[in-house]
Amino acid sequence: GMEKINFSGGEPFLQDRGEFVGQLVRFCKQELKLPSVSIVSNGSLIREQWVQKYGEYLDILAISCDSFDENVNVLIGRGQGKKNHVENLQKLRQWCREYAVAFKINSVINRFNVEEDMNEQIKALNPVRWKVFQCLLIEGENSGEDALREAEKFVISDEDFEQFLDRHKNVSCLVPESNQKMRDSYLILDEYMRFLNCRNGRKEPSKSILDVGVEAAIKFSGFDEKMFLKRGGKYVWSKADMKLDW
């Protein structure tokens, strides 16, 4: 019954310069015959040769872009050294056109970019979807004593988030995700094949599906199917069904 898989990280292209995720994408499309296979990446490690080699097996490439101001990207932590993140985004957009991969943009709205107007740039890039997330605190990951990084300084209010959405209401591909919508509406598997339950504000792992099977493990996933549907989680996600001008 599985229809869609999405590889995200961390950064999926770190392992073997993208060869590992490339093989996974090909396996999911050829062997598992999944209708939709997608990747979320910051785009810094993607090369044209990769898209040329694996693009036919990939339905959607989502690139994380939180700002079209390079100085803001550096503030947020999206700086890519000598490489310009915005210029790289435009290059990736062109490769997706050339190799028939649906292009998507993910943006996390936070204290440093909440006042930005992205209308012109998003419309020019013309992604199939622009996912706009409200910055979310997850205890142990970006919040709390044992956190890998501190995100408290990035947090915005619900009102701030709504104002950003209102400023971009004429962008037809915009798909908003508030904290409420996001927290329980994803089925997340970690590297040990454990479902991660975010209902209590932290990622609590189930037992591995390799040990107990999917049906037993998924009961502890915290997944809210109604919220998944409410946030528009089900959409035309196979590029074979998209009417796109490559």
Side-chain angles (χ1 to χ4, degrees):
M2 185 173 166
E3 289 190 31
K4 182 180 191 294
I5 190 165
N6 180 47
F7 296 102
S8 66
E11 174 49 54
F13 284 83
L14 276 173
Q15 186 72 31
D16 301 331
R17 298 188 175 187
E19 276 301 303
F20 185 69
V21 75
Q23 292 293 335
L24 290 175
V25 164
R26 180 153 59 190
F27 176 80
C28 287
K29 187 58 78 170
Q30 282 193 325
E31 304 297 325
L32 301 183
K33 302 191 185 309
L34 295 183
S36 182
V37 182
S38 58
I39 297 176
V40 178
S41 168
N42 68 17
S44 63
L45 300 174
I46 303 177
R47 303 289 176 263
E48 184 176 6
Q49 295 95 312
W50 190 96
V51 190
Q52 194 173 23
K53 184 177 180 180
Y54 295 110
E56 65 179 292
Y57 312 109
L58 185 65
D59 290 274
I60 302 168
L61 177 62
I63 301 298
S64 300
C65 180
D66 297 336
S67 176
F68 289 92
D69 182 331
E70 201 61 23
N71 293 323
V72 175
N73 279 323
V74 172
L75 270 177
I76 291 171
R78 288 243 187 247
Q80 297 182 5
K82 294 179 181 177
K83 189 178 288 187
N84 184 297
H85 186 56
V86 178
E87 288 177 6
N88 195 46
L89 185 73
Q90 293 166 337
K91 188 165 58 178
L92 290 162
R93 177 69 185 97
Q94 184 57 36
W95 292 343
C96 284
R97 279 198 187 98
E98 289 177 20
Y99 300 104
V101 177
F103 182 72
K104 178 180 170 186
I105 296 175
N106 286 357
S107 299
V108 178
I109 307 309
N110 59 75
R111 179 54 47 211
F112 297 103
N113 65 1
V114 69
E115 302 293 338
E116 194 169 331
D117 185 335
M118 305 182 187
N119 280 285
E120 190 178 322
Q121 293 91 338
I122 294 293
K123 287 176 181 177
L125 288 162
N126 193 27
V128 293
R129 278 163 80 83
W130 179 32
K131 287 288 282 291
V132 175
F133 301 94
Q134 182 181 0
C135 182
L136 177 67
L137 291 180
I138 298 289
E139 190 180 337
E141 182 166 305
N142 63 10
S143 173
E145 288 183 12
D146 301 323
L148 298 172
R149 55 190 69 82
E150 293 296 325
E152 279 87 352
K153 66 180 180 180
F154 292 93
V155 172
I156 57 173
S157 67
D158 293 346
E159 290 77 17
D160 289 336
F161 186 62
E162 288 301 322
Q163 284 178 9
F164 181 90
L165 295 178
D166 188 59
R167 196 181 314 128
H168 297 88
K169 63 187 177 186
N170 293 322
V171 179
S172 59
C173 59
L174 189 152
V175 181
E177 288 202 15
S178 64
N179 287 348
Q180 181 194 8
K181 286 182 179 178
M182 191 167 29
R183 188 174 281 114
D184 310 324
S185 64
Y186 283 85
L187 277 172
I188 308 170
L189 279 170
D190 70 6
E191 63 270 36
Y192 303 108
M193 296 290 108
R194 304 177 301 184
F195 287 106
L196 298 177
N197 185 337
C198 301
R199 285 203 165 178
N200 295 319
R202 58 183 300 117
K203 291 181 176 176
E204 298 172 342
S206 70
K207 289 183 178 178
S208 174
I209 64 175
L210 302 176
D211 296 328
V212 301
V214 174
E215 286 188 22
I218 204 169
K219 293 174 183 175
F220 300 94
S221 67
F223 181 61
D224 183 342
E225 185 179 358
K226 288 181 180 177
M227 184 58 79
F228 168 77
L229 295 170
K230 186 178 178 181
R231 71 166 170 82
K234 183 79 174 79
Y235 59 98
V236 179
W237 51 35
S238 172
K239 67 182 180 184
D241 298 328
M242 296 179 191
K243 295 171 182 174
L244 293 175
D245 181 10
W246 301 115

